[in-house]
Amino acid sequence: KLCFVMFEKYTEARKFSIEVEKNLKAIENNAESQAGSFQRCRNDLDRLRTYTHELDTLLNQESTSKRNIWKRKIDTVFEEYETLNNSFQKIFEATEKKKREEQARNDLLSGTRQRKPDSQFEIHKNEADSLSRSQHAVVEMLERGGEILSTLSLQREQLQ
């Protein structure tokens, strides 16, 4: 009976593995790039992981003679799960990055700002902050310029 249960779990795990692989290819080819596709894929991966853990638990109950055969099969399913999970993560991250870049590009092209000031006070405060930063930058440039001139003057005296 244990062998039959393991066979059923193994068969189901293989079905989910194939289904996840098919869904990942569809997402990767942009045939489906909706949130539902990612969620369905994530659910199938979670179910596949559950099957691998259940198979591992059942493996410990199996007789020693059959354990090695089932161990190889279960290891194969687990390796497939890890590979599919890594592929899913890469595709998901790439899709999210693409969405963020597209949103940023659309924001730039439409000329929208990240946040518009709420009041005249904020507008004046932002202008004052900007002027203050500019003034600070000018002071730094003048100091550097003075240092460069003094260094050049010293070099000139040393050359004469």
Side-chain angles (χ1 to χ4, degrees):
K1 179 178 175 170
L2 183 63
C3 189
F4 179 72
V5 172
M6 286 185 72
F7 180 75
E8 282 183 338
K9 296 280 185 191
Y10 175 76
T11 305
E12 285 296 313
R14 293 291 298 145
K15 284 180 187 177
F16 276 107
S17 177
I18 292 167
E19 185 68 24
V20 168
E21 188 172 0
K22 184 178 83 175
N23 289 340
L24 282 176
K25 285 182 182 177
I27 291 171
E28 195 171 27
N29 294 330
N30 284 333
E32 297 181 47
S33 59
Q34 311 152 12
S37 300
F38 282 113
Q39 189 59 44
R40 186 173 53 247
C41 217
R42 169 52 53 207
N43 291 342
D44 288 348
L45 278 169
D46 288 342
R47 205 173 283 156
L48 183 58
R49 184 184 64 227
T50 301
Y51 280 127
T52 58
H53 290 303
E54 288 174 1
L55 282 167
D56 197 40
T57 302
L58 290 171
L59 180 67
N60 293 331
Q61 299 170 6
E62 187 63 68
S63 66
T64 309
S65 61
K66 295 180 183 178
R67 188 175 294 166
N68 290 336
I69 296 169
W70 279 110
K71 176 84 171 123
R72 283 186 294 244
K73 289 181 179 183
I74 293 169
D75 286 345
T76 302
V77 171
F78 187 73
E79 287 172 8
E80 287 176 1
Y81 163 76
E82 286 181 332
T83 302
L84 291 170
N85 192 39
N86 290 338
S87 296
F88 174 79
Q89 290 299 328
K90 287 177 185 175
I91 292 169
F92 183 76
E93 289 169 6
T95 303
E96 289 298 308
K97 182 180 177 184
K98 184 178 175 182
K99 284 180 186 177
R100 284 191 305 271
E101 288 172 351
E102 187 174 313
Q103 180 64 38
R105 185 178 69 244
N106 288 339
D107 287 347
L108 287 173
L109 291 175
S110 68
T112 57
R113 293 171 51 180
Q114 296 293 358
R115 181 180 169 274
K116 295 182 180 178
D118 294 332
S119 66
Q120 286 289 36
F121 176 75
E122 270 191 66
I123 292 171
H124 291 298
K125 183 180 180 309
N126 290 344
E127 288 175 0
D129 290 344
S130 178
L131 285 172
S132 175
R133 286 191 301 271
S134 297
Q135 182 181 12
H136 184 68
V138 168
V139 168
E140 282 183 12
M141 283 193 281
L142 286 173
E143 288 175 358
R144 285 188 200 147
E147 289 173 6
I148 291 171
L149 283 175
S150 66
T151 304
L152 287 174
S153 174
L154 286 173
Q155 288 177 356
R156 181 175 167 227
E157 289 176 11
Q158 289 175 352
L159 288 174
Q160 291 177 349

